[in-house]
Amino acid sequence: MSEQAEAFVRRTGGEWWMPYWEAGRRRELRFQRCTDCGTWRHPPGPMCPSCQSFGVEWARASGRGTLLSWVVCHPPLLAVWKERAPYVVVLVQCEEGVRTMGNVLDLAAEDLRMDMPLVVDFAPSPDGDLVPQWRRA
Amino acid sequence: MSLKDKAAIVGIGQLPFSKNIGRPEEVTALEAARLALDDAGLRPQDIDGTSKWSIQNTAENLIARNLGVPNLRWFGEVGYGGGGGCGVVAHAAAAIAAGMARCVLVYRSRNRGSGGRPWAGTSRERDQSQSESNETAIYAPYGFVRPVDQVAMFTRRFLHERGYSTRHLGWIAVTTRKHAMRNPMAMMREPMTLENHAASRVISDPLRLFDNCLETDGAAAVLVAEASLARDCRQKPAWIMAASQGMGPRNVTMNNFFKDPILESPGAHAARDLWRMAGVTPQDVDVAQLYDAFTPLVLASLEEYGFCKPGEAGDFVEHDGLGVGGNLPNNTSGGSLSEAYVHGINLIIEAVRQIRGTSCNQVPGARLSMATSGNMVPTGALLLRGD
Ligand SMILES: [Zn+2]
């Protein structure tokens, strides 16, 4: 993979994201949850926007959600993605109230319906690491 | 206290837009500044403030040193690229209202036509875009890194919930192109039909090529002056009647999918403050420049700024509703879709021309002229009025 492509595929995000990616490698979907008020949050960050607590745990999510929206990406794209185009990216409303994204497995763009139930699965991103992805529930 | 009517835009300057302007951004920024000074009938010695986009590569000290500004008393900047333009002018007006400056130079030079794409890691803006690394992590593993992808994700949900179609997006592209055809500065002046729009290639379904703004090299500047100075300038002042910024909850650049309601973008927040400060309603606006880096942004802004109720924007844009003589003449210079994409400073300049009566698509008797910035990112809006 070219250095340029790698820069956009690698999972940056710094310390707040590390537990998310580590969980993915174990085939687990985890999000931050406030240890004071119990509110889930994603994307991750240091403070609970509901109660301003710094207390946080990485709790296991059910992996169930619904499809809020999707796009089908066509070129112009970076080389590593061009090979896979056209590909689908989905926005998922998780049961816990947070939203996250991913590609879809075993689903073509034509199969997608707004608000359809989805379930998490795990598949490699182009850099080889397992990341959360989505399939038909 | 508010900044209402404390300052006016008195000078505008822009260079011809192109794919490759052939000289560095610091040079074109200075050329644009000189044009704006000439337009206003002011000298560099009159400038005592600068206001710029945070991702503007050329710093204010280089501008002030080369222009020969003796003392810069105030200098500021606003983040978020396309969301920053009206905020940059708003900050200038705020500094003037607070007595911290009397004449503020606002400038934007950007070699994006020749300079590569930030999302591809090939431009000078790359470092700034990557500084939001926490947010890149949301998208990068899934090949979701282009602005068009993020707007497309919003768009599919938006069309679904409101009952709009991509044909409504086509109307926006076609009307904007029609305006550009009368603008000798516009980069795209070929006629466009709804069929041309629908047949253009898919970039990020549901968005097509003609839903996207242009890759542009360009530079432009405006001068914001306090009331007493504004009255002495060469041109008719475009008074800053209201200016606002907005971000909304749980914001994530470049788009925000993580809040409720999901379709409410930062423009909805900037809108409330804008109308409150101005003391007028959307129905009083004569002409608008609603930020159009992508066609769906215009559709969303029509709702957010109160020009129509949710679900009514589709009918509003059909049959040339945004044309001169329509419900709300919009992007009368051809906007970001057909004139040039320079983070919206061209939209602000066109809003001033409408006040002056010098637009190539002049709205007869225009007195209230509006501009907005990118509404999928933290944004801002301006309401200008003539005397
Ligand atoms: Zn909490």
Side-chain angles (χ1 to χ4, degrees):
Chain A
M1 197 187 327
S2 77
E3 190 186 326
Q4 182 194 93
E6 190 179 2
F8 264 104
V9 171
R10 75 173 179 223
R11 292 183 290 292
T12 55
E15 58 177 312
W16 300 109
W17 278 89
M18 298 312 282
Y20 183 79
W21 303 123
E22 283 165 15
R25 283 179 208 119
R26 297 192 306 271
R27 306 184 73 88
E28 292 175 359
L29 180 66
R30 287 181 183 267
F31 298 116
Q32 284 184 317
R33 186 169 63 188
C34 176
T35 51
D36 282 295
C37 76
T39 304
W40 295 79
R41 65 180 188 263
H42 191 69
M47 180 178 275
C48 170
S50 298
C51 76
Q52 289 71 49
S53 166
F54 286 107
V56 65
E57 62 182 342
W58 279 86
R60 182 115 184 228
S62 73
R64 288 187 295 272
T66 59
L67 179 61
L68 275 178
S69 191
W70 69 95
V71 302
V72 189
C73 299
H74 293 252
L77 290 157
L78 293 174
V80 66
W81 291 106
K82 206 170 172 177
E83 292 158 14
R84 301 181 170 210
Y87 56 88
V88 177
V89 184
V90 293
L91 176 66
V92 181
Q93 174 77 44
C94 296
E95 214 169 46
E96 291 76 15
V98 297
R99 293 173 192 153
T100 190
M101 306 187 76
N103 302 120
V104 289
L105 307 174
D106 303 334
L107 274 169
E110 304 75 60
D111 301 329
L112 299 172
R113 298 290 177 268
M114 209 55 93
D115 302 310
M116 71 188 283
L118 295 174
V119 63
V120 76
D121 199 343
F122 298 84
S125 145
D127 63 358
D129 254 359
L130 279 182
V131 295
Q133 306 279 19
W134 296 87
R135 66 166 69 245
R136 195 196 304 264
Chain B
M1 182 184 158
S2 104
L3 56 75
K4 185 181 183 184
D5 299 330
K6 301 282 198 311
I9 297 179
V10 297
I12 55 178
Q14 72 181 41
L15 303 182
F17 302 114
S18 70
K19 284 282 182 197
N20 186 351
I21 205 163
R23 49 206 190 281
E25 291 172 349
E26 54 266 37
V27 172
T28 57
L30 286 161
E31 291 177 47
R34 205 165 61 172
L35 289 172
L37 283 165
D38 288 347
D39 180 62
L42 292 171
R43 303 164 306 157
Q45 292 86 333
D46 295 314
I47 293 173
D48 61 357
T50 57
S51 185
K52 74 177 191 66
W53 280 248
S54 66
I55 62 170
Q56 170 68 35
N57 288 311
T58 308
E60 60 275 351
N61 67 343
L62 187 147
I63 296 294
R65 184 171 76 241
N66 282 274
L67 266 183
V69 174
N71 178 26
L72 211 56
R73 294 197 293 146
W74 181 85
F75 32 95
E77 63 182 28
V78 177
Y80 303 105
C86 292
V88 169
V89 176
H91 284 207
I96 289 167
M100 296 177 77
R102 190 157 186 251
C103 180
V104 179
L105 172 70
V106 171
Y107 62 100
R108 184 80 181 105
S109 60
R110 191 180 194 224
N111 286 359
R112 171 71 182 268
S114 60
R117 297 175 166 91
W119 55 264
T122 55
S123 91
R124 291 173 70 187
E125 290 176 7
R126 164 80 195 288
D127 290 342
Q128 283 95 339
S129 67
Q130 286 298 90
S131 70
E132 304 272 5
S133 60
N134 181 289
E135 305 190 355
T136 306
I138 304 168
Y139 311 126
Y142 310 112
F144 191 73
V145 295
R146 302 172 301 178
V148 63
D149 299 322
Q150 314 208 358
V151 174
M153 188 70 88
F154 164 85
T155 302
R156 188 181 303 277
R157 188 76 200 181
F158 181 57
L159 300 182
H160 170 75
E161 289 199 14
R162 296 291 197 261
Y164 303 147
S165 74
T166 52
R167 190 173 167 88
H168 294 122
L169 305 181
W171 272 110
I172 290 164
V174 166
T175 307
T176 310
R177 177 62 59 85
K178 200 167 139 189
H179 293 158
M181 287 167 64
R182 294 169 54 89
N183 175 10
M185 299 286 270
M187 293 173 75
M188 298 294 280
R189 297 198 296 272
E190 293 291 306
M192 186 199 291
T193 63
L194 287 175
E195 290 66 37
N196 295 150
H197 170 269
S200 66
R201 65 194 165 87
V202 177
I203 304 295
S204 188
D205 187 354
L207 295 181
R208 294 173 177 275
L209 181 65
F210 289 163
D211 293 306
N212 288 253
C213 61
L214 307 165
E215 306 284 3
T216 302
D217 280 11
V222 307
L223 284 164
V224 185
E226 80 167 4
S228 59
L229 180 58
R231 289 193 194 93
D232 288 340
C233 285
R234 186 176 286 160
Q235 303 283 354
K236 179 180 175 181
W239 296 101
I240 297 173
M241 191 184 191
S244 66
Q245 291 181 279
M247 184 179 289
R250 298 187 66 74
N251 195 274
V252 171
T253 304
M254 138 91 184
N255 203 330
N256 188 353
F257 310 122
F258 303 99
K259 56 149 180 4
D260 289 302
I262 189 171
L263 297 181
E264 181 188 81
S265 70
H269 297 267
R272 279 172 219 139
D273 278 342
L274 188 81
W275 302 126
R276 191 183 304 135
M277 186 186 296
V280 298
T281 71
Q283 285 66 45
D284 297 316
V285 172
D286 296 310
V287 54
Q289 315 296 324
L290 301 175
Y291 193 89
D292 60 342
F294 303 96
T295 52
L297 306 192
V298 175
L299 215 49
S301 293
L302 287 169
E303 294 184 2
E304 287 169 341
Y305 285 93
F307 294 103
C308 46
K309 294 193 176 70
E312 295 177 353
D315 285 344
F316 196 96
V317 305
E318 263 190 328
H319 310 299
D320 214 16
L322 302 179
V324 177
N327 292 325
L328 180 72
N330 184 58
N331 291 337
T332 45
S333 68
S336 310
L337 294 166
S338 281
E339 183 188 40
Y341 186 59
V342 279
H343 278 159
I345 193 167
N346 55 322
L347 304 182
I348 295 168
I349 285 177
E350 174 64 7
V352 174
R353 282 196 212 99
Q354 288 286 354
I355 292 293
R356 293 180 179 185
T358 59
S359 168
C360 54
N361 289 287
Q362 183 62 40
V363 173
R367 188 169 174 277
L368 280 190
S369 178
M370 180 177 168
T372 67
S373 291
N375 66 351
M376 292 291 129
V377 295
T379 190
L382 284 176
L383 197 58
L384 307 177
R385 68 164 178 83
D387 280 315

